[in-house]
Amino acid sequence: MSITLDQGRRVFALEIAGLEYRYHSINPPASTNLNANLTTGFPYTDIEAIVAVGAFNSEIDPSGGVAQYSALSIELSILKDGLSSDPGIVFGRVGKRSEGVNRANLEESITFDSLPQTINIDKDLTSITAPALMHIGSETFKVSAFTSASMTISERAIADTPYQSHVLSLQGTSVPIVEDKITIFRGRRCKLFVASQDSDGNVGDYSCIINGFIESSPYVENGDTVSLSVIPLTALLDTKLTDSKEGSTFLLQNYHYYSNINSNVFEYGSAWNRRFAFKIWDVTVQSPTVSRCQITNGISLADVFDKDLPNGTEDNVTMFHPRFPLLQHEDAVLYPIAYGFSSNVQYIDVDHSIPGSAQYPQLAAIVAGDGRWRIKPRGEIKRYQLGSNEVKRWPDVINEILDSDGPSSHTGIDGANHLIRINNQFLIASSLADQRPGHEGQVHLWYSSMWPVTSPKYDYAYWPSEEIEIRGRLSNERRVFYPLDYWMDGSKPNYAGESSLVKVVELPEGKTTSTSIPVKIAKAYKQANERFILVEDSLGLPSSFTAGVTFGIEVETFDYYEERQKVLTFEATHQSQVTFDSVNVGYLIHLSSNRENALNGHFGDWGSEERTVVKRGLLSFYVTPGEFMLKLLQSGGGGNNGSYDDLGVGLSIHQDNIDVDSFLRNGSATVAALQRGFSVDDFDP
């Protein structure tokens, strides 16, 4: 029997999502085509209570907007029968102060992790018989078990309630409440069904005429009826989309997460700027291969160089180590194997058997002439990994690594001519070798690792061991450079590239000296190639990666190079909680491998500028407008509303309530793909 027939009358049934009572305008038929259960084990109780259904008008004008419609009013009789199904009792529970409700505060967030989930709560709800239906906001859950301090969720989004994340945010001032009765009706989904009843009382199949939600809190009139105002799901498109409750946070200052491959290496250069010059004024034969040379320089070579370091003749190296005292005179070289003092006169023993070494006759001839020898100034790269898949304090980690792994003297492969430290907003460079000969100790701090490679004066190299000399550059993707500004003059670019920017720290002449320079240090940062953003609070993303599911992240930050505020859009996959010293300190937003993420460049918190805000956004890469509209409609359910639920923020409408094919047909035929991000603040679908 069709509802379009003229014979008979219209009868109605109202389902409130998650409510076990279904209200009818007649004595409920014994059998209908309506669902018998909300979910397995929870049947509907059908009750006669509808006394009036108002008029509903709507129309679609493709040229003038999505739709025009008016709210539909439904009046339910207050039965005053004392039963829990009485509309007067059901809809009389409005708000947190409602009586006769068992409730508890969540002590941990409910996101979109797989089920079952055991969630800690602050009250004992074991008086409720499990399994039970529980409600948070507009979503209804099936709870399979209670303990004195937790509940276990086995099913979600019961009876067409929307998937939602329920997040503790704002440092605990916003706490979701779980209840065994519905107390929030505004915004709760509902369906109105209509059927035809003939003169014999037979009722045909029910058809859904309004699939929508309750517009406002129920209104009790004269103590006899409850009035509900219902509008269709289409009305969701007329609202401004926001995510202010759980979708905004800040960078986590004074910490940084270091991966095991990118942006985790700190490096600096230690060099002499002038040649070490002296005169050999006497030479004697010690053995067929060794000569002893007396020199005029009163500075102990042992306080400046290390004769036991590689001399450049080994198979795996191309030059002598920067701290090896290779003696040079025009085209002659000598390799010291010992030095010291005899009767207050400094001597050097040199080995003529080393390939390339000047032989005794040549040495004696040079000594008989001007006798002047020099040690070429060279630079040594000191390189340290700050972390590997772990959170460290920033910038404290630099000092911590240098204290544990850095140089403590000018000898040995792990040594250096100079040591640096970060002290508040200053960098302190200290000498580890005697600088009194006046060969000008320098510390170099470069923006791009191309600089030491292209600076021929110092022949920079990195020595991870005595057998390995690395002359090539370290990829900027491996280095930490953006958060340290040694120049403070506005010249710092947004990408390292092949920048020639370098800070030279001059150390005064002396045996033990130090100097300091001011440095601006970002309080928190992200370098372009890092695959993570470390933030203070949860953004409500899933805690694990799902293939093909991504979420838009919007970053409002101060561009340190251009000195302006800017907005960046990133594609994220999930989030994870991070700890430091066994204490939860923040959340790690995991970014996808999409190249658009890296093209955004660096960002961070600098000085007195506004802090970087990280929040949920809407992201569209390589999709048609029709597909993006489907994303807006479905997203918000953590991937549970259908194949287009992948933005993380949206209207959270299940695909069963959407004619998906119509969007694909009409939204992609003649329009090019979208490639852009949208702010979630006041976004108008």
Side-chain angles (χ1 to χ4, degrees):
M1 183 164 41
S2 170
I3 62 172
T4 61
L5 293 177
D6 292 335
Q7 297 81 13
R9 63 169 180 163
R10 308 292 181 261
V11 294
F12 299 92
L14 175 66
E15 288 182 2
I16 308 293
L19 181 67
E20 64 267 38
Y21 308 118
R22 180 163 51 203
Y23 297 109
H24 293 256
S25 62
I26 60 172
N27 185 32
S31 177
T32 69
N33 63 319
L34 298 175
N35 290 330
N37 302 305
L38 287 82
T39 187
T40 303
F42 291 89
Y44 276 107
T45 299
D46 291 291
I47 299 161
E48 182 180 359
I50 297 177
V51 295
V53 175
F56 175 72
N57 295 309
S58 67
E59 62 178 340
I60 295 178
D61 180 4
S63 64
V66 174
Q68 294 180 352
Y69 50 84
S70 60
L72 172 72
S73 63
I74 302 174
E75 288 190 12
L76 305 173
S77 176
I78 297 177
L79 303 176
K80 302 178 183 179
D81 55 10
L83 300 178
S84 58
S85 59
D86 188 339
I89 295 176
V90 171
F91 297 103
R93 304 186 191 100
V94 179
K96 299 179 181 179
R97 299 182 182 275
S98 303
E99 296 181 355
V101 179
N102 294 303
R103 57 171 60 92
N105 294 325
L106 298 189
E107 292 192 331
E108 60 181 304
S109 299
I110 301 175
T111 56
F112 298 112
D113 293 335
S114 59
L115 297 176
Q117 293 183 41
T118 298
I119 304 298
N120 292 329
I121 53 179
D122 70 343
K123 289 184 180 178
D124 185 349
L125 296 182
T126 54
S127 60
I128 301 174
T129 301
L133 298 182
M134 303 295 289
H135 317 276
I136 306 176
S138 296
E139 184 176 6
T140 297
F141 302 80
K142 184 176 181 180
V143 175
S144 59
F146 294 97
T147 71
S148 60
S150 70
M151 63 179 184
T152 299
I153 298 171
S154 58
E155 292 183 36
R156 297 193 57 176
I158 298 296
D160 289 332
T161 59
Y163 287 93
Q164 297 176 322
S165 61
H166 308 278
V167 179
L168 281 70
S169 60
L170 302 178
Q171 289 72 48
T173 61
S174 177
V175 180
I177 297 175
V178 59
E179 301 172 309
D180 67 343
K181 303 289 191 300
I182 299 174
T183 65
I184 300 175
F185 289 96
R186 182 179 182 181
R188 184 162 279 266
R189 303 282 172 88
C190 63
K191 291 181 179 180
L192 181 66
F193 298 88
V194 65
S196 180
Q197 185 182 41
D198 63 19
S199 58
D200 294 329
N202 299 313
V203 178
D205 287 344
Y206 281 89
S207 298
C208 180
I209 57 168
I210 296 290
N211 184 357
F213 57 94
I214 299 174
E215 181 183 26
S216 57
S217 296
Y219 175 70
V220 178
E221 186 173 359
N222 300 325
D224 295 323
T225 59
V226 175
S227 180
L228 302 179
S229 179
V230 177
I231 55 179
L233 290 180
T234 310
L236 291 175
L237 293 173
D238 286 343
T239 62
K240 294 290 183 68
L241 190 62
T242 61
D243 193 29
S244 58
K245 179 180 178 182
E246 65 183 60
S248 181
T249 184
F250 297 101
L251 292 183
L252 181 62
Q253 294 187 346
N254 304 316
Y255 292 89
H256 193 78
Y257 183 87
Y258 297 97
S259 76
N260 63 339
I261 53 174
N262 286 335
S263 303
N264 65 348
V265 175
F266 174 76
E267 64 180 6
Y268 70 94
S270 173
W272 300 125
N273 190 45
R274 294 178 58 190
R275 294 177 296 181
F276 187 93
F278 57 93
K279 183 175 182 179
I280 297 177
W281 61 274
D282 185 53
V283 58
T284 59
V285 175
Q286 297 294 105
S287 73
T289 60
V290 176
S291 297
R292 173 160 294 186
C293 307
Q294 292 184 337
I295 67 173
T296 57
N297 195 314
I299 302 301
S300 172
L301 265 67
D303 292 337
V304 184
F305 300 101
D306 183 356
K307 61 178 176 54
D308 296 321
L309 288 173
N311 60 21
T313 63
E314 287 82 357
D315 292 337
N316 296 325
V317 299
T318 60
M319 291 187 69
F320 61 96
H321 192 280
R323 285 178 279 120
F324 177 79
L326 182 68
L327 280 61
Q328 299 176 323
H329 180 279
E330 296 180 356
D331 59 347
V333 296
L334 294 173
Y335 295 91
I337 58 173
Y339 37 55
F341 287 85
S342 177
S343 300
N344 295 323
V345 176
Q346 187 167 191
Y347 66 86
I348 303 174
D349 289 344
V350 297
D351 186 351
H352 299 295
S353 67
I354 297 176
S357 176
Q359 300 302 301
Y360 174 78
Q362 184 183 15
L363 171 59
I366 294 173
V367 171
D370 63 13
R372 295 185 180 277
W373 294 78
R374 297 171 178 85
I375 300 176
K376 174 183 171 64
R378 289 198 60 201
E380 177 183 7
I381 298 175
K382 304 308 298 181
R383 193 173 288 165
Y384 304 97
Q385 182 170 304
L386 299 184
S388 178
N389 297 332
E390 58 187 324
V391 170
K392 293 292 189 71
R393 289 191 180 275
W394 168 261
D396 300 1
V397 61
I398 294 178
N399 290 346
E400 292 169 359
I401 295 299
L402 289 174
D403 285 341
S404 62
D405 302 334
S408 57
S409 74
H410 72 282
T411 61
I413 198 68
D414 294 327
N417 292 325
H418 309 99
L419 171 68
I420 67 171
R421 287 290 186 275
I422 300 292
N423 184 6
N424 197 7
Q425 295 292 309
F426 288 89
L427 181 140
I428 301 173
S430 304
S431 62
L432 296 173
D434 194 338
Q435 301 193 149
R436 287 178 297 172
H439 51 182
E440 298 178 0
Q442 292 185 340
V443 167
H444 293 137
L445 304 159
W446 45 80
Y447 194 69
S448 168
S449 59
M450 181 62 74
W451 183 86
V453 175
T454 57
S455 179
K457 179 176 181 179
Y458 304 100
D459 286 320
Y460 260 115
Y462 168 59
W463 293 77
S465 69
E466 292 189 355
E467 292 77 29
I468 300 175
E469 175 197 24
I470 299 176
R471 303 290 297 279
R473 63 179 294 191
L474 178 68
S475 168
N476 288 320
E477 294 184 352
R478 294 288 313 280
R479 303 171 53 246
V480 175
F481 58 90
Y482 169 74
L484 297 165
D485 183 6
Y486 309 110
W487 304 273
M488 302 173 64
D489 61 358
S491 61
K492 187 175 183 181
N494 194 34
Y495 291 96
E498 298 182 4
S499 170
S500 60
L501 202 60
V502 63
K503 180 68 175 181
V504 181
V505 184
E506 305 277 0
L507 281 93
E509 183 176 328
K511 187 170 185 178
T512 303
T513 61
S514 65
T515 189
S516 64
I517 61 168
V519 56
K520 283 187 177 179
I521 304 174
K523 299 175 182 177
Y525 70 94
K526 178 203 173 297
Q527 284 194 186
N529 58 294
E530 290 183 299
R531 293 277 296 276
F532 313 95
I533 304 176
L534 184 60
V535 298
E536 290 183 350
D537 302 306
S538 167
L539 289 183
L541 301 180
S543 61
S544 60
F545 168 79
T546 299
V549 177
T550 59
F551 305 89
I553 300 296
E554 184 178 276
V555 174
E556 297 177 0
T557 189
F558 176 77
D559 190 310
Y560 189 67
Y561 177 53
E562 298 183 357
E563 296 187 342
R564 65 177 179 86
Q565 290 294 122
K566 67 179 180 181
V567 176
L568 306 172
T569 304
F570 292 87
E571 185 179 77
T573 58
H574 62 293
Q575 69 178 33
S576 58
Q577 197 166 49
V578 293
T579 62
F580 182 81
D581 285 346
S582 301
V583 176
N584 295 331
V585 294
Y587 290 83
L588 202 62
I589 306 302
H590 297 251
L591 303 179
S592 73
S593 58
N594 193 314
R595 65 185 182 89
E596 304 289 341
N597 286 334
L599 293 177
N600 282 322
H602 323 299
F603 62 85
D605 290 348
W606 290 94
S608 59
E609 302 297 338
E610 291 186 21
R611 294 186 66 179
T612 298
V613 178
V614 182
K615 53 189 176 182
R616 297 280 285 273
L618 301 175
L619 192 61
S620 172
F621 282 151
Y622 318 117
V623 299
T624 65
E627 290 172 317
F628 186 66
M629 292 169 70
L630 287 171
K631 290 172 180 284
L632 281 177
L633 294 172
Q634 292 186 17
S635 293
N640 297 292
N641 286 324
S643 57
Y644 292 94
D645 180 5
D646 57 10
L647 292 179
V649 181
L651 302 178
S652 196
I653 302 175
H654 197 277
Q655 66 180 3
D656 291 347
N657 298 310
I658 303 170
D659 184 352
V660 173
D661 288 340
S662 69
F663 284 89
L664 297 179
R665 287 194 308 269
N666 299 303
S668 60
T670 60
V671 186
L674 291 171
Q675 297 185 44
R676 62 164 297 183
F678 302 88
S679 172
V680 84
D681 287 339
D682 295 330
F683 181 84
D684 190 344

